[in-house]
Amino acid sequence: MVVAALPRVQCHDCGTTRQIKIDFADARRSYTKGWAKYALQLTRSMTIKDVADLLGVTWDVIKEIKKKDLQRRFANPSLKDVRRIAIDEICIGKGHRYVTLVMDLDSGAIIFVGEGKSADSLAPFWKRLGRRRHRIEAVAMDMSSAYILAVRGNLPKADIVFDRFHVVKLMNEKLTMLRRQLFQKATADEKSVLKGSRWLLLKNPENLREDRDEEAHLAAALQLNEPLAKAYYLKEELRTFWGHTFRWPAQLFLRSWCKRAIATGLEPLKTMAKTLLRLEEGLLNYFEHRISSGPMEGTNNKIKTVQRQSYGIRDREYFELTLYSLHQTKYALVG
């Protein structure tokens, strides 16, 4: 503890009285710069709560020290060399609260955090980009109509690349929908076989567990129901789309797949095929740029870890600064 009587000085011209500045502490702070540096160093390997408990101060004191350091190093991420980006949304709390994230795919850095998941969420990002908009070559994203309109309206020269993860996710949703419809119409004996097959249908074949006899269970369900088998094998075949080397064979494959999906007469598959045909250009752009929002998904997992460690988001600005720092920092980010 440092106890010192600090003199005050008065200006002869305006009569204002001020306390003199000191080198070892900032104004209106109850701790010295050296102590703050020590506390900040501890946060490299400890949570904010643990540091606060160790030093006998509140959570907010340590958070403010760390927030100031993050502001100094990460506020207003540079957009100078950004060429390829990914856009995605993530739920950040109860009540379906979302933020829209923009990542620089070349550096792995989060370069924008927007409130919500609508087209308006990206408005501040377009404003920050300014004249740099024409430098953006490609955007990896999901098939959200809001994001599609926003990107086409603000980055007319950029290619949209629909992400593999979201396409597969949509196909899985259609398969689950079909299974539910078939289950409702099934007999009691058929239901006993179909029961528990939902996750088996969504698993990749190589991930089926032998010790649980999952492969045999799946085979029985597919043998029992022909429409379900058609949908399952089409789902598996769609995964090979991204294995093509060039754009034109991938286009032939995609159109053939959609034609066969529509020919099944199954409504979920017909809807899926029409969606893929409508968004064909964004799917085929993958073979020009070979990008995806996969790195964004990895960052989303880090963000969820941050939220669990912090028991929620207590300071929105601090949360954003934390996201900007994720690609460069390896120590505990919150507490």
Side-chain angles (χ1 to χ4, degrees):
M1 178 182 294
V2 177
V3 179
L6 301 179
R8 296 190 297 170
V9 294
Q10 184 180 53
C11 177
H12 293 296
D13 295 329
C14 65
T16 302
T17 301
R18 290 189 176 91
Q19 183 174 285
I20 65 168
K21 293 182 179 180
I22 53 177
D23 294 333
F24 60 85
D26 292 324
R28 295 182 292 279
R29 293 292 182 268
S30 59
Y31 49 80
T32 65
K33 293 179 180 179
W35 187 90
K37 186 177 181 180
Y38 172 64
L40 182 63
Q41 187 63 36
L42 290 176
T43 64
R44 301 290 195 268
S45 56
M46 299 170 63
T47 67
I48 289 179
K49 184 178 183 302
D50 289 339
V51 175
D53 291 342
L54 176 66
L55 300 181
V57 296
T58 65
W59 185 91
D60 293 288
V61 169
I62 305 301
K63 185 265 295 183
E64 286 300 323
I65 291 173
K66 191 162 186 181
K67 180 178 177 179
K68 184 177 179 180
D69 178 63
L70 292 173
Q71 285 174 330
R72 178 180 60 83
R73 295 193 292 149
F74 301 110
N76 299 319
S78 174
L79 304 179
K80 180 181 178 182
D81 299 319
V82 175
R83 297 292 183 272
R84 306 184 304 167
I85 62 175
I87 299 175
D88 200 3
E89 77 276 352
I90 183 174
C91 182
I92 60 169
K94 297 179 179 179
H96 298 286
R97 292 176 55 207
Y98 287 88
V99 293
T100 294
L101 305 179
V102 179
M103 171 183 278
D104 178 355
L105 288 174
D106 294 307
S107 69
I110 296 294
I111 55 177
F112 175 75
V113 181
E115 185 72 37
K117 58 175 182 176
S118 66
D120 293 337
S121 304
L122 290 164
F125 178 66
W126 309 135
K127 185 176 181 180
R128 279 197 62 209
L129 269 180
R131 296 180 180 179
R132 300 184 187 91
R133 295 186 188 189
H134 70 279
R135 298 181 183 177
I136 305 297
E137 300 170 358
V139 183
M141 53 188 287
D142 63 21
M143 294 173 285
S144 163
S145 57
Y147 289 159
I148 292 173
L149 292 174
V151 171
R152 286 177 176 168
N154 292 277
L155 302 175
K157 294 184 178 181
D159 289 336
I160 292 176
V161 180
F162 294 123
D163 182 64
R164 172 179 182 170
F165 171 83
H166 292 95
V167 175
V168 172
K169 180 182 177 182
L170 181 60
M171 182 65 210
N172 286 342
E173 290 173 358
K174 299 301 181 184
L175 184 58
T176 300
M177 182 187 303
L178 176 63
R179 177 197 168 277
R180 188 181 300 116
Q181 293 172 356
L182 296 173
F183 186 85
Q184 292 172 350
K185 299 176 182 178
T187 64
D189 291 339
E190 291 173 337
K191 286 183 178 179
S192 66
V193 178
L194 290 174
K195 187 176 181 181
S197 64
R198 176 186 175 187
W199 299 114
L200 301 182
L201 291 166
L202 304 184
K203 268 189 174 184
N204 295 335
E206 61 271 19
N207 295 332
L208 294 173
R209 295 183 56 172
E210 293 183 9
D211 59 327
R212 295 183 179 180
D213 208 20
E214 291 181 340
E215 188 173 350
H217 187 176
L218 176 61
L222 297 178
Q223 185 176 5
L224 178 69
N225 197 300
E226 183 180 355
L228 188 63
K230 289 181 179 179
Y232 174 79
Y233 291 121
L234 280 170
K235 184 266 291 189
E236 285 302 304
E237 190 178 352
L238 183 60
R239 291 173 56 203
T240 67
F241 169 76
W242 291 272
H244 287 83
T245 305
F246 301 107
R247 182 186 181 99
W248 64 267
Q251 184 179 46
L252 293 176
F253 169 88
L254 182 64
R255 292 182 178 180
S256 172
W257 187 96
C258 291
K259 184 178 180 180
R260 285 179 285 118
I262 293 172
T264 63
L266 302 172
E267 200 57 40
L269 294 184
K270 289 167 62 178
T271 303
M272 182 69 188
K274 291 175 182 177
T275 298
L276 296 183
L277 288 173
R278 178 169 52 86
L279 302 175
E280 180 186 68
E281 184 67 18
L283 292 167
L284 296 176
N285 282 338
Y286 170 79
F287 300 96
E288 302 291 335
H289 300 280
R290 299 283 176 173
I291 62 172
S292 75
S293 58
M296 182 76 82
E297 296 302 322
T299 298
N300 287 352
N301 292 332
K302 292 181 182 179
I303 294 171
K304 291 174 183 177
T305 300
V306 167
Q307 290 180 256
R308 286 195 298 271
Q309 290 178 341
S310 61
Y311 304 100
I313 299 170
R314 311 186 195 185
D315 184 327
R316 177 57 189 272
E317 184 183 3
Y318 172 72
F319 178 69
E320 291 185 12
L321 289 167
T322 299
L323 301 192
Y324 293 147
S325 71
L326 277 178
H327 74 297
Q328 294 188 33
T329 55
K330 297 181 180 179
Y331 52 86
L333 293 169
V334 289

